[in-house]
Amino acid sequence: MKVAPSWTFQGFGTCTARAASGKASELIGPPNGDYEIGRNAAAYPLIGTRVCVGRPVCMPATVYNIGPCGPGASNCYAMSVSAAAGRPAPHWDATFQETVSYKSCGELETCGPLNFRTHAWTLHVGDSFTDVPRSQPFYQKIETLLHNGITLGCSPTQFCPGEDVSRGQLATFVARSIARLTAAVPVSGTVGDQPYDCSAGGISLFSDVAPTDAFCKHIHYVASLNVDGGCEPGLFCPDASLTRLQMAAVVAKAIVEPGGDAAVPSVYTDAVTGRFYNCDPGSENFHFTDVPPGDAFCRHASYLWARGVIAGCSPTEFCPAGDVTRAEMAKFLVNAFNFKLYTP
């Protein structure tokens, strides 16, 4: 497989473009896997650009970007990962070391000594679930969710992408997404001024969620952050399925927590996407024709659209009553919480 890292260098104090090269080594992973570097050298594009106001005086730049390596596969690393006796781990990652060399050059074309930077990269092997082939539309989203520790699947080898998501499952995934680590979801705390303790002999604030329930701490955590307070007073309805609109409401509140429902704006322009909506009654500036202004969930669906989290079931429709599958949930959460498969 082709492996193509990218780098950003800051503060060289140079305005002259220079090429960089890389070397890869120490490709390793879990036992019983075979790891091989087929091509250990990479050629990177030029660093930065020349910005001059009159030769030989140049305006120094402060940020220089290189990568991904290339152009052309022959300028990038080639590596292979395999296992004759099956996967060594359900979530299979490998790592390798990369050393990049470059020269920092000044305004008068004088260059200093060769510089080196080293980084340990993680490679997610993929093909983690037997029921999620690479042709599955949400393959990358599902792999990203696994890689970030938000889900382990419905079994050690399957994700069950077509199954509907329950309220308890969604609470678990959202709680892990907010905490960024399942172990960071607290076992005890308070919802408002009411204490809870999700351990044997503890206290649950929902009569249909036992303190020893696997979902207990996640359900109470999202309630404590004003994300989902249950289906009615004293009940959470963990086994109930969700519509797309209900999912949108929970996810919208999750990314503005702990502000709760009031923090999801009725009128909003996103600084990144440039998308704008107005869900105030009587407004004509709305996106989804089936979730118009005046609908209690207009701002939730519109907020996720404006943030680039969702696109709808068609260019102008949200299909609010549709069920939410586990595969669709993966897309919602990866986009909402900006999870990455590869990070610096």
Side-chain angles (χ1 to χ4, degrees), residues 158-180:
Q158 293 184 311
F159 184 76
C160 302
E163 287 189 3
D164 289 347
V165 178
S166 70
R167 285 178 46 79
Q169 289 172 337
L170 178 60
T172 299
F173 296 132
V174 168
R176 291 172 181 168
S177 297
I178 293 171
R180 294 284 167 165

Side-chain angles (χ1 to χ4, degrees), residues 116-136:
F116 298 92
R117 294 288 187 273
T118 301
H119 186 73
W121 295 100
T122 297
L123 297 177
H124 179 76
V125 176
D127 297 313
S128 304
F129 301 107
T130 57
D131 56 354
V132 185
R134 295 187 178 223
S135 59
Q136 216 277 351

Side-chain angles (χ1 to χ4, degrees), residues 10-343:
Q10 293 181 309
F12 282 0
T14 173
C15 61
T16 302
R18 286 292 182 268
S21 60
K23 293 288 184 182
S25 62
E26 302 179 45
L27 177 63
I28 58 175
N32 302 321
D34 295 320
Y35 309 91
E36 181 179 352
I37 299 177
R39 184 170 52 251
N40 71 343
Y44 283 96
L46 298 179
I47 302 174
T49 55
R50 186 189 298 275
V51 183
C52 300
V53 294
R55 299 185 61 84
V57 179
C58 297
M59 297 176 63
T62 58
V63 178
Y64 299 80
N65 296 296
I66 64 172
C69 53
S74 62
N75 290 321
C76 295
Y77 303 116
M79 303 182 187
S80 64
V81 176
S82 61
R87 295 178 70 88
H91 177 196
W92 187 4
D93 284 345
T95 62
F96 75 95
Q97 295 284 333
E98 183 187 25
T99 300
V100 171
S101 59
Y102 62 92
K103 283 189 176 182
S104 179
C105 303
E107 296 175 358
L108 300 179
E109 303 293 337
T110 58
C111 295
L114 202 61
N115 296 295
F116 298 92
R117 294 288 187 273
T118 301
H119 186 73
W121 295 100
T122 297
L123 297 177
H124 179 76
V125 176
D127 297 313
S128 304
F129 301 107
T130 57
D131 56 354
V132 185
R134 295 187 178 223
S135 59
Q136 216 277 351
F138 299 112
Y139 169 80
Q140 187 173 14
K141 303 296 185 182
I142 292 168
E143 292 286 346
T144 301
L145 209 62
L146 170 69
H147 185 65
N148 284 273
I150 307 305
T151 181
L152 296 177
C154 61
S155 79
T157 61
Q158 293 184 311
F159 184 76
C160 302
E163 287 189 3
D164 289 347
V165 178
S166 70
R167 285 178 46 79
Q169 289 172 337
L170 178 60
T172 299
F173 296 132
V174 168
R176 291 172 181 168
S177 297
I178 293 171
R180 294 284 167 165
L181 187 67
T182 188
V185 178
V187 173
S188 61
T190 59
V191 177
D193 59 357
Q194 295 182 287
Y196 69 88
D197 182 357
C198 291
S199 60
I203 302 170
S204 171
L205 303 181
F206 301 100
S207 61
D208 54 356
V209 180
T212 54
D213 193 303
F215 295 152
C216 180
K217 69 173 185 176
H218 307 92
I219 286 172
H220 285 82
Y221 184 56
V222 297
S224 73
L225 296 175
N226 302 311
V227 172
D228 189 347
C231 58
E232 60 180 86
L235 293 174
F236 194 82
C237 304
D239 297 324
S241 60
L242 289 154
T243 66
R244 285 173 52 85
L245 207 52
Q246 290 169 332
M247 176 82 159
V250 171
V251 174
K253 288 184 281 188
I255 57 180
V256 298
E257 58 83 14
D261 191 65
V264 181
S266 294
V267 182
Y268 178 75
T269 301
D270 192 83
V272 176
T273 67
R275 294 175 177 177
F276 165 78
Y277 69 85
N278 184 339
C279 282
D280 287 340
S283 171
E284 297 182 357
N285 295 307
F286 61 96
H287 182 70
F288 295 117
T289 57
D290 51 359
V291 194
D295 189 301
F297 293 106
C298 174
R299 54 198 171 92
H300 304 89
S302 299
Y303 185 61
L304 296 184
W305 166 76
R307 291 280 298 265
V309 174
I310 56 173
C313 62
S314 80
T316 59
E317 293 178 307
F318 187 73
C319 299
D323 293 333
V324 180
T325 66
R326 286 171 56 86
E328 291 170 329
M329 176 208 61
K331 178 182 178 180
F332 267 80
L333 296 181
V334 168
N335 290 352
F337 291 94
N338 196 31
F339 289 121
K340 303 295 185 184
L341 193 56
Y342 297 112
T343 56

